[in-house]
Amino acid sequence: MNDQERLRAIWDRSVEKLKEVVREFDITEDELHIAGAYFNRLGQSGMCPSLIDVALAMTSIDAKRQRSHGGTRANLTGPYHAQHPVKADGNLCDTPPAPDAPRLEMSGVVTDVATGQPIAGAEVDFWHADHNGIYDRQGNHLRGIVPTDEQGRYRINTLLPNDYSEHDFDPLGELFRAMGRTNTRAAHVHVKVCVNGVDLLTTQLFMSTSNMLKDDYVEGAVTDDLIVALQKREENGVTIYSGQFDIAVAPETSAATAS
Ligand code: DHB
Ligand code: FE
């Protein structure tokens, strides 16, 4: 199937499925026009990618995983990835943390899933929201690439991310409110692992401190194997959470399926 045929087939099948929905729920022409106006507003708010992510991206990721050779479960890239600087010491904070902001110390080993051997020099790319659930969209605060050491180990020092809910005042939040659903993501740290210039894994690690682990608005995103069990301690009046998460990737497989 060429690109044009594939696009045509996807369009035909999608419209066919939506026609079933129109019949099943007796959706009126007026209601369809309301939907059209809604999509205009959604587009103006820049939230179309988020709607697609929330509704469909996990399905695509899980289907791809069925064809792969295991390792750490993949997860959404989400809307906020960027090119990040290398932060070799693992400190992701570009501005000094507020004293009352809880810190996160996370470490682990990156291994080859086939051999179990650690991978030295893997580039582990992190990005996450702050203690108020806000991403830095201009700069590189709470973002950075951390190379693994000779033992395949990474270590980051950063802020503990909070649950993320930036949709309270946009059309995406409006839709979820109208359905009686939350619009909140469980606190997470995004991770991308790149070895020898090849992206092998994109995933998200969920913080055991989150209250939204059962209610993440991206259905199917949170699974037990991606939850980092955090320990809490106090040091000089600062709250520090620490946890360990090993990451297994499949260098050959991913390179072979990338094309
Ligand atoms: C959305 C936000 C995220 O941080 C993410 O990882 C995935 C989706 C969103 O706004 O929909
Ligand atoms: Fe995110």
Side-chain angles (χ1 to χ4, degrees):
M1 211 189 286
N2 66 29
D3 284 354
Q4 193 182 45
E5 289 161 352
R6 181 166 180 267
L7 182 59
R8 178 70 193 266
I10 291 170
W11 169 259
D12 285 350
R13 194 93 158 91
S14 303
V15 172
E16 190 185 306
K17 292 276 179 196
L18 286 172
K19 284 177 181 168
E20 280 172 28
V21 176
V22 170
R23 282 189 287 266
E24 182 177 349
F25 293 94
D26 292 326
I27 298 175
T28 65
E29 188 182 1
D30 281 349
E31 286 174 324
L32 291 173
H33 290 164
I34 290 169
Y38 172 79
F39 282 121
N40 272 350
R41 284 195 293 120
L42 188 71
Q44 277 156 11
S45 75
M47 287 300 152
C48 286
S50 279
L51 180 69
I52 299 216
D53 263 1
V54 169
L56 296 173
M58 279 319 303
T59 303
S60 175
I61 290 160
D62 287 336
K64 182 174 175 203
R65 182 171 165 75
Q66 295 294 315
R67 305 189 299 267
S68 78
H69 285 80
T72 300
R73 179 176 180 249
N75 213 297
L76 306 188
T77 305
Y80 304 128
H81 184 248
Q83 287 301 112
H84 297 145
V86 173
K87 295 185 177 173
D89 64 0
N91 176 18
L92 303 185
C93 298
D94 282 358
T95 50
D100 61 338
R103 314 290 164 81
L104 171 68
E105 297 174 355
M106 194 165 65
S107 62
V109 179
V110 176
T111 60
D112 181 328
V113 68
T115 63
Q117 290 302 307
I119 303 177
E123 295 182 318
V124 192
D125 186 0
F126 296 95
W127 69 104
H128 65 85
D130 68 8
H131 55 301
N132 295 315
I134 308 288
Y135 285 84
D136 178 8
R137 311 234 186 100
Q138 265 87 52
N140 290 301
H141 184 49
L142 314 182
R143 298 169 176 274
I145 297 173
V146 181
T148 57
D149 66 13
E150 288 304 308
Q151 283 78 47
R153 181 165 289 278
Y154 73 86
R155 172 178 292 278
I156 55 170
N157 284 296
T158 186
L159 296 185
L160 179 74
N162 207 340
D163 297 334
Y164 155 99
S165 172
E166 285 188 272
H167 298 295
D168 282 350
F169 304 104
D170 68 34
L172 192 53
E174 177 189 324
L175 175 64
F176 275 70
R177 232 175 1 258
M179 293 190 289
R181 287 176 56 174
T182 72
N183 61 5
T184 303
R185 299 233 44 218
H188 58 280
V189 172
H190 291 265
V191 186
K192 228 181 219 298
V193 181
C194 180
V195 176
N196 295 327
V198 184
D199 276 342
L200 299 180
L201 174 72
T202 301
T203 192
Q204 302 188 5
L205 307 181
F206 296 93
M207 304 294 103
S208 63
T209 45
S210 171
N211 293 318
M212 296 301 297
L213 294 169
K214 299 249 178 298
D215 291 310
D216 192 305
Y217 97 125
V218 180
E219 256 180 83
V222 182
T223 46
D224 288 348
D225 54 332
L226 292 179
I227 298 174
V228 188
L230 295 175
Q231 258 95 50
K232 182 183 181 180
R233 69 177 196 275
E234 304 284 335
E235 242 172 54
N236 306 321
V238 175
T239 306
I240 304 172
Y241 288 87
S242 59
Q244 157 89 32
F245 195 93
D246 295 340
I247 300 170
V249 295
E252 302 85 355
T253 315
S254 305
T257 54
S259 54

